[in-house]
Amino acid sequence: MTGGSRGIGRAMVRALAEAGAKVLFTYRQSESEAKALEDELRPSASETGSVRCDVRDAESVRSAVDAALTRFGRVDILVNNAGILREQLLAFTKETEWNEVVDTNLKGPFLFCKALVRQMGRQHYGRIINISSVAALMGDVPRASYCASKAGLIGLTRAVAREAAGQGITVNAVAPGIIETDLLARLPETKRKSYEERIPMGRFGHASEVASVVVFLASDRSAYITGQVLCVDGGLHM
Ligand code: NDP
């Protein structure tokens, strides 16, 4: 899985390892956080490991996939979680900023799917889970690049779901709403309140609540679900 060093990804690594999966997760910059997570999980999930990878770079993705195949012999589950957000009104969005967001949030998952789909097809088994966002379904200001990249990821999810359905591979997207992460800890109280008022359940989500849905989609209990977008958002989008 990509982007396991922090935030929602870290909760996913924990939950997948607790469910018995052997997890290789990627980080890009947060090496110390990644190593701390490995240390935390070592007593119960000794097979958990991490590898540096920039999801925007095809060679880096190839070597992360090779590392997983060398370590485990096969890859059954791919979670494309790594993502970035750049806030800027459309008129002021620089082309470089746009490219950075789209390359991370959409090209990265494309590269990982491409690198693994044939191997999953050969083994007639695969679970691909792409982490999108309710922002892709609702639009959000000032986040055009983010919304476009995450909506593109839903298109990729459905296209690959159709393409790979006959090979025992399911492909789904999870669309989190507003989730408590380090990012939100810095949110001013007034802004926090106005966000909370928009959510029917009246609170932000926890990373573990997204992680448990990912564990479900990665398991055999979701065998007949493909091409879907599961919102984990307290009712924000319905
Ligand atoms: P964080 O910013 O906490 O973590 C992002 C993760 O992505 C980090 O592990 C980071 O690695 C990794 N990453 C970023 N850029 C790259 C890159 N180029 N190559 C490899 N890894 C990279 O984000 P969240 O946990 O909040 O979000 C996780 C996912 O959930 C994202 O896709 C996000 O868009 C989505 N999401 C989040 C919501 C929220 O409210 N938090 C709401 C809806 C969707 P490192 O630190 O090592 O660089």
Side-chain angles (χ1 to χ4, degrees):
M1 76 159 278
T2 68
S5 49
R6 294 188 289 113
I8 300 174
R10 187 166 52 195
M12 288 176 195
V13 173
R14 284 192 183 119
L16 286 164
E18 271 167 27
K22 298 172 185 171
V23 185
L24 186 72
F25 66 93
T26 74
Y27 61 90
R28 185 169 69 103
Q29 288 173 313
S30 309
E31 184 171 10
S32 56
E33 285 88 341
K35 298 302 165 200
L37 181 58
E38 275 186 54
D39 290 345
E40 176 199 312
L41 295 172
R42 189 157 295 127
S44 55
S46 57
E47 305 252 24
T48 305
S50 66
V51 60
R52 185 189 295 279
C53 170
D54 185 336
V55 300
R56 299 169 297 181
D57 179 70
E59 272 201 21
S60 185
V61 170
R62 187 68 256 167
S63 68
V65 167
D66 286 347
L69 290 171
T70 304
R71 198 178 172 115
F72 303 132
R74 56 187 279 153
V75 174
D76 294 324
I77 304 162
L78 164 66
V79 184
N80 283 306
N81 166 71
I84 57 166
L85 168 71
R86 296 285 178 266
E87 297 198 307
Q88 188 57 272
L89 291 170
L90 180 76
F92 300 104
T93 299
K94 296 192 184 88
E95 199 178 331
T96 49
E97 249 170 20
W98 175 275
N99 289 342
E100 191 190 5
V101 172
V102 174
D103 284 357
T104 306
N105 297 355
L106 182 55
K107 183 181 156 195
F110 153 69
L111 291 173
F112 268 96
C113 289
K114 182 176 153 80
L116 279 166
V117 78
R118 274 197 290 185
Q119 180 263 332
M120 286 179 171
R122 275 195 294 276
Q123 68 194 23
H124 291 284
Y125 187 89
R127 295 276 183 275
I128 299 177
I129 300 145
N130 295 321
I131 308 305
S132 179
S133 168
V134 289
L137 305 169
M138 301 173 69
D140 208 358
V141 179
R143 299 177 174 177
S145 59
Y146 184 76
C147 293
S149 66
K150 292 293 188 179
L153 186 54
I154 291 173
L156 178 73
T157 300
R158 292 190 170 138
V160 183
R162 280 191 192 277
E163 206 176 297
Q167 299 156 52
I169 303 170
T170 67
V171 190
N172 291 289
V174 173
I178 305 173
I179 308 299
E180 294 274 8
T181 57
D182 297 348
L183 206 78
L184 292 187
R186 295 194 298 272
L187 207 66
E189 195 53 31
T190 46
K191 216 164 182 191
R192 201 186 161 91
K193 279 224 151 41
S194 87
Y195 277 139
E196 279 169 353
E197 279 163 13
R198 289 165 56 196
I199 302 170
M201 287 181 72
R203 66 167 177 87
F204 296 163
H206 303 298
S208 61
E209 292 171 318
V210 181
S212 59
V213 173
V214 168
V215 171
F216 167 67
L217 289 174
S219 77
D220 287 333
R221 286 178 296 156
S222 64
Y224 200 52
I225 301 176
T226 198
Q228 300 307 305
V229 183
L230 254 137
C231 295
V232 184
D233 65 351
L236 181 60
H237 173 75
M238 62 168 103

